[in-house]
Amino acid sequence: MTLPDPSAWPVDDPVADQSVDVLAQRAAATPDATAVVDADDGSVWSYAELDDRVAARAAAIESVAQSDLAGGRVALLLGTRPAVADLFFAVGRLGASAVALNVELPTERLRSQAARAEVDLLVCERATEEAATAVAPGDTPVASVDDPGSDAVASLALGENGSAGRVEPSGRPLDDERVVMFTSGTSGEPKGVRLTRRNLVASAVGSAHRLGVQPGDRWLVCLPTYHMGGLAPIVRSTLYGTTTVVQREFDAAATARVLDEFDATAVSLVPTMLTRLLDAGWGPGESLRFVLLGGAPASRELIERCADRGVPACPTYGLTETASQVATATPTEASEHPDTVGRPLRPTTVTVVGDDGTPVEAGESGELVVSGPTVAPGYLDDEQTAAAFDDLGFHTGDLGYADRDGRLWVVGRVDDAVVTGGENVHPARVADALRDVEGVADAAVVGLPDEEWGERVAALVVPADGSRDGGTAGLTADGVREAVRDRLAAFAVPKTVGFADDLPRTHSGTVDREAVRERLESARDRG
């Protein structure tokens, strides 16, 4: 049995009455349905219970802030845990915007982001309390969802503020800001993306079109909730009336157990996570309907392993600026059309434009420009907004192409192109050729300064197990170059080749290109 066909929904329909709080609406409709499961201790909350928790959190936040937060911002400095759901919906109930801060960032970076977002309150947990008090701007109050360890930190712990009364939903318009989320920042200062409730709802509806929704769905969240991949399932499940299972941290063995124990039907992972699950011997249970695979390109080898193991992997292309998914491939598409990320989700539009800003023909590469209701209104910084958003849509900076059936391929970044001896080289295409070399598990390609050529193509290669022994057996730099000479133009063959046990990545799974460059600098003289 499935829910009513999502294709019949207008994008605004689930929240057509702008005064309706999505969680309050869900709790009224299906109060006894399971909302959240804590995979670490087995705790379970129905939608009625989650609504009560949110009411208590909202009242406590309002008491601590001692001001009207409508139109304001509340920063959340927490790891992945069920309390994130409480706080996200409580902040929205107060008419404020949640600012998601990455707990892994250094103090100075967090202080900069909190200041740029001009937050009115900073919420932490016991593990981040010290950092929170250090990064809160000026006299901004700090409160913890746990018992505070300092008198300077107020308490939002449930049970202490329940008598403060229920907070009525603010009824802010759909197009008001709902969350600020910072990009990964692999090539510069992360941008603060301003997403609206309309963006989040449109993303949920578009995802339902592609992946389907069943009443018994249980979506496992083990990605950080300060990234869209971790937060989006919480919002979507609430809209659908299905269940979110929250695991505080990914671990291959523990996550494999959680997937089976809680009969997960869906999970969001980055390719590195899925690779580790497969390496640990995991296979999908009967309940699993899909693995939403994003954050970084999924290699052809990984998709083939999934097909062999019966894992329903759905490679996806998405961005923070589009509230998660832009395009998603079905498992069949992924197998039959290698490296595709599938067709754009309804009603998202992707236009491929050339250097002159005009659309190109099918099969031609260009920058991907995304438009539709999932696209954010912009960044915290007006200049950054003006540079990336225009009447055509959001200019992603990603290079790609589409076939005549509308399937997308992403081949790299506009600013990642390596110009060597006057020739343009797309790193993603070189990396694809390297991954096809026997004994190569993965690769990343960047440009390094070169006095003769302007830039040189450089590759960091991850050997497959047993293919390299201290650099003297199996894979060598010369051997790798020779293996790709018949697959690449001479100018695209890497002049520098380095080896590593794995590729440096951000927490969202994206290759950290600056870290790759640093590693390759040491291999330059040997290249």
Side-chain angles (χ1 to χ4, degrees):
M1 177 181 178
T2 60
L3 295 179
D5 182 3
S7 64
W9 299 346
V11 169
D12 296 347
D13 187 59
V15 285
D17 180 350
Q18 296 189 17
S19 68
V20 169
D21 175 293
V22 171
L23 175 60
Q25 184 183 50
R26 173 51 55 197
T30 56
D32 297 326
T34 301
V36 176
V37 175
D38 187 335
D40 291 86
D41 68 12
S43 299
V44 177
W45 294 276
S46 68
Y47 274 104
E49 291 168 332
L50 178 60
D51 190 55
D52 287 341
R53 289 169 64 91
V54 167
R57 296 282 196 202
I61 291 171
E62 192 173 51
S63 176
V64 170
Q66 295 184 340
S67 62
D68 184 2
L69 287 174
R73 294 184 178 129
V74 177
L76 306 182
L77 185 62
L78 301 95
T80 301
R81 54 185 289 184
V84 171
D86 301 351
L87 292 165
F88 177 78
F89 289 114
V91 168
R93 190 159 293 185
L94 292 167
S97 176
V99 180
L101 297 179
N102 183 339
V103 300
E104 300 292 338
L105 292 180
T107 300
E108 286 304 315
R109 181 66 65 85
L110 288 171
R111 183 179 292 118
S112 169
Q113 292 183 358
R116 286 161 56 196
E118 300 179 324
V119 300
D120 301 290
L121 174 69
L122 199 156
V123 179
C124 63
E125 58 190 351
R126 190 64 181 270
T128 61
E129 186 176 311
E130 184 177 348
T133 55
V135 306
D139 58 356
T140 301
V142 177
S144 176
V145 294
D146 299 322
D147 292 329
S150 166
D151 291 340
V153 178
S155 176
L156 299 179
L158 293 175
E160 296 185 14
N161 301 280
S163 61
R166 295 183 68 90
V167 174
E168 291 300 316
S170 66
R172 293 179 69 199
L174 280 169
D175 291 321
D176 278 8
E177 179 186 293
R178 181 64 180 84
V179 63
V180 174
M181 194 159 281
F182 287 87
T183 60
S184 295
T186 58
S187 58
E189 181 73 14
K191 302 179 180 71
V193 182
R194 300 171 49 248
L195 291 163
T196 67
R197 187 157 57 123
R198 186 187 300 275
N199 296 148
L200 300 177
V201 170
S203 178
V205 173
S207 183
H209 276 293
R210 183 57 41 86
L211 301 171
V213 179
Q214 295 181 1
D217 276 346
R218 290 182 165 219
W219 199 318
L220 174 61
V221 171
C222 54
L223 289 171
T225 47
Y226 43 77
H227 290 309
M228 277 310 305
L231 181 63
I234 295 174
V235 178
R236 293 172 180 179
S237 296
T238 303
L239 187 64
Y240 304 155
T242 54
T243 302
T244 306
V245 179
V246 180
Q247 183 186 23
R248 284 168 169 76
E249 187 175 10
F250 172 84
D251 172 83
T255 300
R257 175 186 58 77
V258 167
L259 284 163
D260 292 339
E261 180 179 339
F262 293 96
D263 295 323
T265 60
V267 61
S268 297
L269 299 172
V270 299
T272 301
M273 289 177 170
L274 182 52
T275 298
R276 290 176 181 170
L277 277 171
L278 294 175
D279 289 346
W282 171 78
E286 293 183 3
S287 63
L288 191 67
R289 295 200 302 110
F290 62 84
V291 176
L292 191 60
L293 196 56
S299 69
R300 202 172 294 186
E301 178 192 18
L302 178 57
I303 297 303
E304 290 172 353
R305 288 184 71 187
C306 288
D308 291 342
R309 197 75 66 86
V311 177
C314 297
T316 190
Y317 167 61
L319 307 105
T320 305
E321 292 89 342
T322 62
S324 188
Q325 294 164 262
V326 170
T328 298
T330 65
T332 300
E333 279 183 316
S335 295
E336 295 179 352
H337 303 275
D339 304 323
T340 187
V341 292
R343 296 177 176 86
L345 272 60
R346 181 180 178 183
T348 299
T349 299
V350 178
T351 305
V352 184
V353 301
D355 293 339
D356 61 357
T358 61
V360 300
E361 296 294 327
E364 293 184 30
S365 294
E367 183 179 15
L368 304 181
V369 181
V370 183
S371 61
T374 66
V375 176
Y379 299 114
L380 292 174
D381 185 289
D382 290 339
E383 290 185 4
Q384 292 176 337
T385 299
F389 297 81
D390 61 19
D391 291 342
L392 189 59
F394 167 56
H395 292 251
T396 65
D398 290 321
L399 285 172
Y401 63 94
D403 65 15
R404 295 190 181 280
D405 293 321
R407 297 182 191 87
L408 287 175
W409 280 259
V410 182
V411 299
R413 294 280 299 169
V414 171
D415 53 7
D416 285 343
V418 180
V419 182
T420 179
E423 300 284 356
N424 289 327
V425 176
H426 295 311
R429 291 179 175 172
V430 178
D432 284 344
L434 290 167
R435 293 188 192 103
D436 286 337
V437 174
E438 184 178 357
V440 173
D442 206 352
V445 177
V446 298
L448 296 180
D450 188 285
E451 291 184 2
E452 181 179 2
W453 302 101
E455 283 187 293
R456 62 165 49 197
V457 179
L460 187 63
V461 172
V462 177
D465 290 344
S467 64
R468 184 169 181 262
D469 179 14
T472 61
L475 289 180
T476 64
D478 287 340
V480 168
R481 280 192 287 266
E482 189 61 34
V484 296
R485 289 193 191 282
D486 62 346
R487 312 181 197 197
L488 298 170
F491 58 79
V493 174
K495 291 182 170 63
T496 295
V497 176
F499 296 94
D501 292 335
D502 50 38
L503 299 180
R505 295 182 182 275
T506 67
H507 289 283
S508 62
T510 305
V511 172
D512 187 334
R513 301 183 64 79
E514 288 306 313
V516 169
R517 287 189 179 91
E518 290 175 6
R519 293 194 189 187
L520 285 169
E521 285 289 352
S522 64
R524 176 194 293 266
D525 294 336
R526 303 191 300 272

